[in-house]
Structure formats: C-alpha cells, structure tokens
Amino acid sequence: MPVVMKGSEVSAGMKPVLLAELEELKARGINPALGVVRVGGRPDDLAYERGITKRFASLGLTVKVHELPEDISQAGFNAAFRDINGDKDIHGILLFRPLPEGLSDDYARHEINPRKDADCMSPENEAGVFSGNPDSFAPCTASGVMAMLNHYGYALEGLNVAIIGRSMVVGRPLAMMMLGANATVTVCHTRTRNLAEICRNADVIIAAAGKARMITPEYVSERSIIVDVGINVDAEGNLCGDVDYENVAPVVRAVSPVPGGAGAVTTSILARNVLKAAKLLA
Ligand code: NAD
C-alpha cells in the first residue's frame, strides 16, 4: 500500500513551530494579522476564506476580511488596496485572484509592500523565488508541496521530478524551488509530448493541471511519489484531484489525496508567511 500524504498531518507537524513563533511575537507586543482582500463573493474564494479563518483561529492568529463590492471601480479598488497595504496593524495580505472581469490587479501587484506579500504576487517576490532569496515569499501552494514532501521525508536531491502545469502560482515557482533543492525538473504543459512516459520515468510527479483524474496508471510506476495539487469537480459533482486515485494509489510509493492533501497545507503555509512578515516588518 502507498504512503498516503495527508495535509492534516503536515499541518499538525507545523503547528507547534507556528505557535512558538506567535508566542514570541506576542511577547514583543506584536499581534500578527492577515488582511484578506476579496472582491465579490466567488464560491471558491469563500471556501478558501473559510479554510483560512478556521486555520488562523486554531492558531490564535488574526484575520481581517476586506470585502469589496463586485462592481467597484478600478480607482475605488486601488484606493481600498492602498489603505490596507498602509495599515500598520496588517502584516500579511492575501488578495483573491483573478479579480472580476474589468478589474486589473496591476496596481496591487506593483504597490504591495513586498514584506506583506504573503502569497507572492509582487514582481519582487517572484524574482526572489527564482533567485532563492530566503527573505522573499513564495506562493503558498508551491510552498505547501515542498512542506508535504519534506514532512514525509522525501529529500529531492538528485531525484527526477515531473511537474504538470506551468502557471505562475504553482508550476513555475515550484520548479524553481525544486531546482533549489537539487532536483532535476521537467516542467510539462498542454503541448508536452509523451507526457505519460515523462511521468512514468520520474521519481516525483506533481499534478497541477486542473484536469480531473488525468493521471491514470500508465503515467506512474511503483517508485512514483505523487503530490496532487488539482482541485476539480467531476461530472457527478464530486471534488477530485488530477490523479485517478482509486486506480493509481495501489501501484505507487506515495500519493496525496484530494480533498485532504496539498490543499489542506496551504492555509498553514499562509499562517507561516504572516508570522514571517510580522518578523520582517518589526
Ligand atoms: P492554470 O489553469 O493556471 O494552469 C494549468 C497548467 O496545467 C497550465 O500550465 C497547462 O499548460 C497545464 N495543463 C492543463 N491541462 C494539461 C494537460 N492535459 N496536460 C498537460 N498539462 C496540462 O491552473 P493553476 O492555477 O496552476 O491550478 C492548477 C490546479 O491546481 C487547479 O486544479 C487549481 O484548482 C489547483 N490549485 C490548488 C491550490 C491548492 O491550494 N491546492 C491552489 C491553487 C490552484
């Protein structure tokens, strides 16, 4: 049977460290707080927000939600973002993206204080991920994948990794982080040829395509370690990942489920980043 990499176990492992850091900051009179900026009420934003609120409450961390109307003007959005960015009582900022049609996140990306940029949307932090700057912030999802592999003791040095997906929030930053950990990385996408063969020959597969159950047994081998980042809804309305879990799990070395896998680590990483931001700003 495979090792099932559970997000709850990774988060439980991180909790004592986060609580100790929080205690230290509170002893210095700092009350770390996350500012969530949400425009409108998209169901997936609301679901993530509930997850954040729950995780932060369990740690004793403050969350301030700034809900802006869906029909807000660009100038109104920029002004609201400027105020939140300038608020000394907010240490980390998470802006739900994409913004509603017609609104641009350009101003927010370029104006956010890089030290408050808890989910890496600024060009400065993106560059930091590429150069491996330890003071920069990486996207929470990509960091969560690294934390999961680390928790289960899979050192990446010398391993071949196939990442499926090249987005700026998952695939690309993760490729840089894995290179930093001395893995040999192949970044795959919709135009990749022989995807199944590339994956089958890899030691580690990161599925971040957003395609329900596309990773079937022909993509894997008995030494595959698979982190499933995908969040999809299948034809029957069930939440599922990019991995055909039922058929793949029995034949691989390790795999993360959906739900309950990588997604459940993201909010703990966000908390870790808010604590880091509070320290950088102090
Ligand atoms: P995206 O749509 O921006 O990027 C998807 C990438 O996958 C693209 O680079 C595309 O080339 C590639 N791709 C798509 N279909 C493919 C195929 N059939 N073969 C090979 N490559 C293919 O998506 P994203 O924002 O990077 O998110 C990816 C998935 O991860 C989605 O399911 C999303 O819901 C999920 N996600 C999860 C979390 C989390 O916390 N777990 C966070 C962000 C995104």
Side-chain angles (χ1 to χ4, degrees):
M1 283 310 282
V3 172
V4 177
M5 297 184 284
K6 293 188 182 144
S8 57
E9 292 180 356
V10 183
S11 283
M14 291 174 65
K15 193 169 178 176
V17 181
L18 298 180
L19 288 175
E21 283 183 20
L22 178 60
E23 200 176 321
E24 198 187 310
L25 283 161
K26 284 195 167 164
R28 289 162 60 194
I30 301 164
N31 180 23
L34 170 71
V36 170
V37 187
R38 171 165 51 78
V39 184
R42 269 183 25 187
D44 47 348
D45 290 349
L46 290 169
Y48 187 23
E49 189 177 296
R50 278 193 297 275
I52 293 169
T53 310
K54 204 169 143 197
R55 175 82 64 211
F56 276 52
S58 80
L59 294 165
L61 267 167
T62 303
V63 181
K64 294 178 187 173
V65 176
H66 301 263
E67 182 179 356
L68 304 173
E70 189 158 4
D71 60 356
I72 194 167
S73 66
Q74 186 70 56
F77 169 77
N78 292 356
F81 192 87
R82 187 180 55 233
D83 289 348
I84 297 160
N85 195 29
D87 185 341
K88 288 194 168 36
D89 294 329
I90 288 180
H91 303 84
I93 296 175
L94 178 78
L95 169 65
F96 285 121
R97 297 184 297 163
L99 294 172
E101 220 169 300
L103 269 191
S104 160
D105 62 8
D106 264 8
Y107 175 85
R109 288 185 60 237
H110 289 92
E111 289 303 316
I112 190 169
N113 180 342
R115 293 181 167 193
K116 293 191 176 189
D117 185 15
D119 196 27
C120 186
M121 65 173 180
S122 66
E124 190 166 331
N125 278 309
E126 285 171 356
V129 174
F130 275 61
S131 64
N133 175 0
D135 282 343
S136 67
F137 292 95
C140 294
T141 304
S143 301
V145 172
M146 298 297 283
M148 176 168 266
L149 292 168
N150 182 51
H151 178 88
Y152 286 96
Y154 300 121
L156 289 165
E157 179 148 333
L159 296 190
N160 290 319
V161 180
I163 298 177
I164 310 172
R166 57 177 165 182
S167 75
M168 285 298 286
V169 283
V170 193
R172 282 177 207 228
L174 193 51
M176 291 302 128
M177 294 162 90
M178 290 189 153
L179 275 179
N182 297 320
T184 301
V185 183
T186 306
V187 182
C188 310
H189 46 82
T190 41
R191 311 285 170 87
T192 299
R193 292 181 194 161
N194 308 325
L195 182 60
E197 191 186 338
I198 293 169
C199 290
R200 206 165 48 236
N201 289 327
D203 303 293
V204 177
I205 301 168
I206 310 298
K211 292 282 173 289
R213 302 193 181 99
M214 69 171 278
I215 306 297
T216 52
E218 62 157 333
Y219 286 68
V220 304
S221 78
E222 71 286 347
R223 53 171 222 289
S224 306
I225 297 163
I226 311 174
V227 179
D228 190 351
V229 179
I231 302 174
N232 313 293
V233 179
D234 70 12
E236 283 78 48
N238 301 311
L239 196 63
C240 70
D242 287 359
V243 175
D244 174 9
Y245 191 89
E246 200 186 331
N247 294 309
V248 162
V251 296
V252 297
R253 184 172 168 202
V255 62
S256 69
V258 176
V265 185
T266 311
T267 50
S268 293
I269 299 288
L270 184 61
R272 188 172 82 183
N273 284 356
V274 171
L275 292 165
K276 176 173 163 176
K279 275 189 259 176
L280 287 172
L281 290 161

